[in-house]
Amino acid sequence: MAQHIVSPEVHEHHTQEQESLKTAGFWLFLVSDVLLFGTLFAVYVVLVGHTNGGPTGKELFEIPIFVASTFILLTSSFTSGIAVLQMQANKLKGTIFWLVMTLLLGGAFLFLEIEEFMTMVHEGANIGTSAFLSAFFTLVGTHGIHVTMGIFWCIGLILQLRKRGITTVTKRKITNFSLYWHFLDVIWIFLLSVVYLMGVM
Amino acid sequence: MSQHSSNHGHGHHEEHSHGSMKSYSIGFLLSIVLTIIPMVVVFNGLLERTATLLVILITAVAQLLVQLIFFMHIREADKPRYNLMALVLGGIIVITIVAGSVWIMSFNSVVQ
């Protein structure tokens, strides 16, 4: 009987330990993703000068677009942080609101990126034009795919939050999502620096 | 000593264990400033080439640290900081791959 009374607490403690272990595992995933982007950055840096007579970054990159993308993603990194704060204060509505804001900003970022890619392809600068453009589309596109997956993940989280509320499990999921989103912002900062700013220099 | 620190920790639990609105706002402001600096330098051509490259790289690394500390709370992880260790190892591998690729490919023109 006594054991029956104790067991839910023990169980709760056990799940919490498991959840923090899952967050630790998520960190390992992020580090492996750092390696993926690291190799793509290496390819880009090596091939950036090989334009095959085609357009260079200076001719292709539009300053207002990538400046806007940068501040949109930076702000969305901040809003996903606020969502975590709201979650820690056990405010379900606030958490969902700030996740939706993150989602909208992420969508705006993706819209600008797709627009940029379409314009470039229309101008005849596609993935097969030169080694520089192959590296460019692979590197920036991989980041874009990550953002797309983040958006679907965020939609799933919002649905789950509405259904189950803030529990140990949804808390861990939101924590991991915000880690992922901050990570994507960091990758973008390096894309901005190495690809865009150095490209228009 | 340990009791003192645990009392202190309890009193400020909300602020210190998982970040606060204040630390997120500071991080946000810092990252905006660190983004604007290289943009201003590049768009106005304020510095010569090498100095501009240095400004871009230094502000990017500073921004990485800001995000890690203020947003991802790398300092507040559990006792053995496996996430930090893994991250440092990942960083070493990335620097090796990028710098090594650039270095070895710079011999391309010599061979041809």
Side-chain angles (χ1 to χ4, degrees):
Chain A
M1 258 337 244
Q3 233 177 1
H4 180 73
I5 298 163
V6 170
S7 86
E9 273 176 35
V10 172
H11 180 73
E12 173 64 19
H13 181 70
H14 181 68
T15 11
Q16 245 164 22
E17 222 163 63
Q18 272 210 323
E19 297 309 317
S20 72
L21 203 61
K22 283 177 182 169
T23 298
F26 193 74
W27 269 99
L28 291 184
F29 159 72
L30 288 183
V31 172
S32 75
D33 233 20
V34 167
L35 298 186
L36 168 69
F37 279 105
T39 51
L40 292 177
F41 268 106
V43 171
Y44 181 82
V45 172
V46 166
L47 295 178
V48 68
H50 298 238
T51 51
N52 192 28
T56 62
K58 199 164 190 161
E59 293 155 16
L60 287 170
F61 302 150
E62 287 176 52
I63 291 173
I65 304 253
F66 71 74
V67 168
S69 306
T70 302
F71 286 106
I72 288 171
L73 207 61
L74 246 159
T75 311
S76 81
S77 189
F78 180 58
T79 57
S80 80
I82 301 178
V84 170
L85 284 180
Q86 294 284 317
M87 171 203 84
Q88 275 160 5
N90 272 314
K91 289 177 184 156
L92 180 63
K93 274 191 180 165
T95 312
I96 291 177
F97 174 78
W98 288 107
L99 282 179
V100 170
M101 290 304 284
T102 309
L103 192 72
L104 293 176
L105 289 166
F109 171 86
L110 207 61
F111 175 78
L112 284 180
E113 180 150 293
I114 292 169
E115 187 88 341
E116 184 199 22
F117 280 13
M118 302 259 275
T119 317
M120 284 172 72
V121 170
H122 276 299
E123 287 168 357
N126 59 49
I127 195 164
T129 307
S130 65
F132 153 66
L133 282 167
S134 303
F136 168 82
F137 279 112
T138 312
L139 175 58
V140 181
T142 304
H143 178 266
I145 290 170
H146 276 77
V147 173
T148 313
M149 288 197 291
I151 287 173
F152 283 118
W153 187 3
C154 191
I155 293 171
L157 273 182
I158 292 168
L159 294 178
Q160 208 167 55
L161 271 175
R162 289 180 54 143
K163 206 173 159 192
R164 299 187 194 161
I166 295 171
T167 65
T168 318
V169 175
T170 48
K171 265 186 179 174
R172 181 259 302 167
K173 287 180 178 174
I174 294 165
T175 308
N176 286 2
F177 169 74
S178 83
L179 280 177
Y180 180 74
W181 206 256
H182 296 319
F183 162 79
L184 289 186
D185 192 34
V186 171
I187 298 290
W188 177 259
I189 290 305
F190 281 91
L191 284 173
L192 168 78
S193 306
V194 175
V195 176
Y196 292 96
L197 287 180
M198 289 183 187
V200 299
M201 251 173 77
Chain B
M1 191 60 207
S2 79
Q3 203 150 30
H4 172 75
S5 74
S6 83
N7 279 342
H8 181 78
H10 184 75
H12 294 269
H13 192 258
E14 284 301 307
E15 284 92 337
H16 284 288
S17 65
H18 304 288
S20 62
M21 195 59 200
K22 198 178 146 202
S23 78
Y24 273 106
S25 305
I26 293 172
F28 186 46
L29 275 177
L30 279 177
S31 57
I32 285 184
V33 171
L34 286 170
T35 309
I36 289 176
I37 290 173
M39 284 178 173
V40 168
V41 169
V42 170
F43 299 155
N44 298 316
L46 294 181
L47 300 167
E48 38 128 8
R49 198 181 152 76
T50 320
T52 311
L53 283 176
L54 270 177
V55 168
I56 292 174
L57 286 178
I58 289 170
T59 49
V61 171
Q63 168 118 244
L64 163 72
L65 294 177
V66 165
Q67 296 261 343
L68 277 176
I69 291 167
F70 290 95
F71 288 176
M72 297 170 92
H73 315 300
I74 190 93
R75 289 191 303 182
E76 293 142 33
D78 293 337
K79 291 146 257 168
R81 294 177 180 174
Y82 293 121
N83 52 359
L84 186 60
M85 293 182 215
L87 208 62
V88 170
L89 178 62
I92 292 171
I93 295 174
V94 166
I95 289 170
T96 311
I97 292 173
V98 175
S101 303
V102 172
W103 182 58
I104 198 75
M105 291 310 284
S106 69
F107 290 98
N108 206 14
S109 53
V110 180
V111 176
Q112 278 177 341

